[in-house]
Amino acid sequence: MSVRVGIVSFAHVHSPAYAGVLKDLGAADFVGIADEDTGRGAEAAEHFGVRFFDSAPSLFEEVEAVVVCSENRNHARDVIPALQGGVHVLCEKPISTTVEDARAMIQASEDSESQLGTAFPVRYLPSIVRARELVREGALGRVFALNGTNHGQIPGGWFLDPELAGGGAVMDHTVHLADVLRWMLDVEVKSVYAEVDSFFGAGETDDAAILTLELEGGSFADGAFATIDPSWSRGDGYPTWGDVTLRIAGTSGVLDVDPFAQPLRIFDHETGVPSWSYTGEDMNSLMLKDFLRGVAEGEPSGASGLDGLRTLEVVLAAYSSGENHEPKNVERTP
């Protein structure tokens, strides 16, 4: 049985990829797209052959689930009414720009008993899944250090507006690896030391950073440390959009994970332009399929709203550390 699903807003750069998956996914009955930007939303709806809704509430009346892809600041605005209306939600990351909004979204989910998930597709990459299995099987012994990267290009648009985005590269990319660390190792981030700046052309918005995290809890990596480079360091003309990598060092061995390391390389003699495309399994498809399965079966799956909140708390601690150039404890709200 397919789930009637829609997309709220085409503001986020990931929304076309999600729409493409939903259009072809057997588990989805892709009903339509709602967008306050009428021109943008109507064009997207026509492109994907679905209905356009000029308001989110009108879409909520027609679906069982939605994927919210609005600007970071507007997530709570779009998520809470959906949940209150009995619609299950997968919210684009970061879950929000403030802890208060994230808590309100989680509370709305609990009150309505509607599912709230956070879009962390990196969890679904097969090599990341296998790395988690190896760590939990004890193949690396006790983990004591990790190094991760999530590089990308400067996205432009509202991503460079601090009011709408809540930050730059640190807000945009830290959350993926922070979530993987928590999910893989069953730990929380105790403290963060961060150096944050702008080097690659994003203007006043941060596009470069190095974070050092102190981890606690769990039985695999209590007391370990991790570093994350979330920089928008891929310039114009760079052959690939970016990367997700992770090196995990333990008492019994070292594991390197590079999920996008086997691209298909094409050179067009007519244009003289090379191109690279990823040839592995589509993490967005795996994530959306799992979300819709959870909706259909009444069993939430994937990253929860609370997982989204925990990664946001890491990001906010990183920004505070970057301002004061000293480690900051991560304040985890109840």
Side-chain angles (χ1 to χ4, degrees):
M1 178 179 176
S2 60
V3 174
R4 293 175 61 81
V5 61
I7 292 179
V8 177
S9 181
F10 244 60
H12 201 283
V13 295
H14 292 163
S15 52
Y18 295 158
V21 169
L22 293 176
K23 186 65 178 176
D24 297 331
L25 199 61
D29 178 4
F30 188 14
V31 174
I33 297 165
D35 200 326
E36 62 181 353
D37 185 326
T38 302
R40 179 179 65 195
E43 181 181 359
E46 181 179 4
H47 177 77
F48 290 100
V50 297
R51 291 173 57 189
F52 171 64
F53 296 79
D54 58 8
S55 73
S58 61
L59 173 64
F60 299 155
E61 294 176 357
E62 302 290 336
V63 297
E64 302 164 78
V66 292
V67 182
V68 171
C69 296
S70 50
E71 301 87 347
N72 299 341
R73 185 187 68 180
N74 294 328
H75 286 174
R77 178 200 69 183
D78 296 329
V79 168
I80 292 174
L83 295 169
Q84 292 173 336
V87 176
H88 306 289
V89 177
L90 179 65
C91 181
E92 182 55 81
K93 60 79 192 168
I95 189 172
S96 64
T97 60
T98 68
V99 167
E100 291 75 19
D101 276 356
R103 285 298 323 170
M105 293 160 66
I106 293 168
Q107 189 63 55
S109 174
E110 294 173 351
D111 292 344
S112 66
E113 297 185 350
S114 299
Q115 298 177 25
L116 171 61
T118 308
F120 284 137
V122 173
R123 283 190 180 199
Y124 293 89
L125 288 165
S127 58
I128 294 290
V129 173
R130 181 56 180 147
R132 182 177 188 260
E133 293 172 349
L134 289 170
V135 167
R136 289 174 173 252
E137 290 168 2
L140 301 182
R142 176 182 167 275
V143 174
F144 58 83
L146 304 97
N147 173 251
T149 67
N150 185 188
H151 300 126
Q153 297 177 335
I154 297 172
W158 63 264
F159 284 88
L160 305 186
D161 181 340
E163 289 299 317
L164 290 174
V170 173
M171 179 68 76
D172 190 34
H173 276 182
T174 298
V175 290
H176 281 302
L177 285 167
D179 177 67
V180 166
L181 293 177
R182 295 183 63 252
W183 174 72
M184 181 180 290
L185 302 171
D186 193 26
V187 295
E188 295 292 352
V189 180
K190 180 180 180 181
S191 67
V192 182
Y193 174 74
E195 291 294 335
V196 182
D197 213 325
S198 181
F199 290 128
F200 301 109
E204 298 300 316
T205 303
D206 60 279
D207 59 21
I210 293 291
L211 283 61
T212 301
L213 316 178
E214 183 184 6
L215 308 178
E216 65 177 355
S219 57
F220 308 102
D222 186 38
F225 74 92
T227 63
I228 294 177
D229 178 354
S231 304
W232 289 337
S233 53
R234 298 302 194 236
D236 292 340
Y238 200 88
T240 57
W241 64 268
D243 64 31
V244 173
T245 69
L246 190 62
R247 167 167 284 192
I248 310 167
T251 54
S252 299
V254 177
L255 176 63
D256 287 309
V257 188
D258 190 351
F260 302 110
Q262 296 181 351
L264 181 67
R265 298 176 177 87
I266 303 171
F267 183 81
D268 188 322
H269 287 281
E270 183 175 341
T271 63
V273 177
S275 65
W276 281 252
S277 60
Y278 175 57
T279 59
E281 292 190 63
D282 182 1
M283 61 183 178
N284 293 325
S285 179
L286 294 170
M287 176 185 67
L288 289 168
K289 186 183 299 184
D290 193 37
F291 168 63
L292 295 177
R293 181 196 59 77
V295 169
E297 297 178 1
E299 293 290 338
S301 57
S304 66
L306 181 59
D307 291 324
L309 171 60
R310 291 292 178 252
T311 61
L312 175 63
E313 291 164 345
V314 173
V315 168
L316 297 178
Y319 276 124
S320 178
S321 174
E323 291 176 0
N324 300 306
H325 304 285
E326 60 183 20
K328 292 290 182 180
N329 289 330
V330 176
E331 297 182 7
R332 293 196 291 272
T333 58

